[in-house]
Amino acid sequence: MRDHYLILRVVSKVLIPFIVMFGLYVQFHGEYGPGGGFQAGVIVAAGLILYALIFGLTDRQRIGMLSVCRILAPLGALFFVGTGFVTLFFGGNFLEYAAFAPNDPKLGLLIGIIVVELGVGLAVAASMILIFFTFSERRS
């Protein structure tokens, strides 16, 4: 039965690294063009979910991925909210990125966007993977 999936496994083995790499590209170039944390999180999660579907996961891999995702999902949300509180601490409004670098608002904007989008990307990727595992464990 495993021989029927040979082409699918070979093609997936080639494509999955490129899917994840494209997700990272979208993540780190989202402030300059289309994309950002949400899109990157979904793309990276799709690559990891494709791996789990094609190659399967041992119980140890499943538990490890679940425990990592259970940490990354709230950590991503904490990055987002924490960035807002840090801008308040620096004397700006909530999520006013210019407060990060008062002498150079463009630098502050760049720092703020990167941190917030990283948090969104982590939260979305981890949440998508957790949703996948939740549905895959359901029995009819």
Side-chain angles (χ1 to χ4, degrees):
M1 176 104 164
R2 293 288 229 192
D3 295 335
H4 297 288
Y5 298 109
L6 182 63
I7 293 174
L8 191 58
R9 292 171 70 95
V10 169
V11 170
S12 296
K13 220 178 249 192
V14 171
L15 285 181
I16 289 172
F18 289 107
I19 292 171
V20 173
M21 190 168 52
F22 179 66
L24 293 174
Y25 169 79
V26 170
Q27 172 71 45
F28 292 111
H29 288 85
E31 69 270 9
Y32 298 116
F38 184 84
Q39 293 87 345
V42 171
I43 292 169
V44 169
L48 297 175
I49 290 169
L50 178 64
Y51 178 85
L53 287 171
I54 300 298
F55 297 101
L57 296 175
T58 63
D59 288 337
R60 176 184 254 178
Q61 289 172 326
R62 179 182 293 268
I63 291 170
M65 192 176 274
L66 281 171
S67 61
V68 167
C69 288
R70 286 185 181 135
I71 293 169
L72 289 181
L75 183 67
L78 188 64
F79 271 32
F80 184 84
V81 174
T83 303
F85 284 119
V86 168
T87 58
L88 288 174
F89 178 74
F90 284 136
N93 293 325
F94 190 77
L95 291 176
E96 182 182 0
Y97 305 134
F100 284 125
N103 298 331
D104 189 5
K106 286 187 179 182
L107 177 64
L109 182 68
L110 181 66
I111 292 169
I113 287 175
I114 287 175
V115 173
V116 164
E117 293 295 331
L118 181 65
V120 170
L122 285 174
V124 168
S127 298
M128 294 295 292
I129 293 169
L130 287 172
I131 290 169
F132 166 73
F133 281 126
T134 300
F135 284 134
S136 69
E137 292 174 354
R138 290 187 58 145
R139 304 283 186 233
S140 299

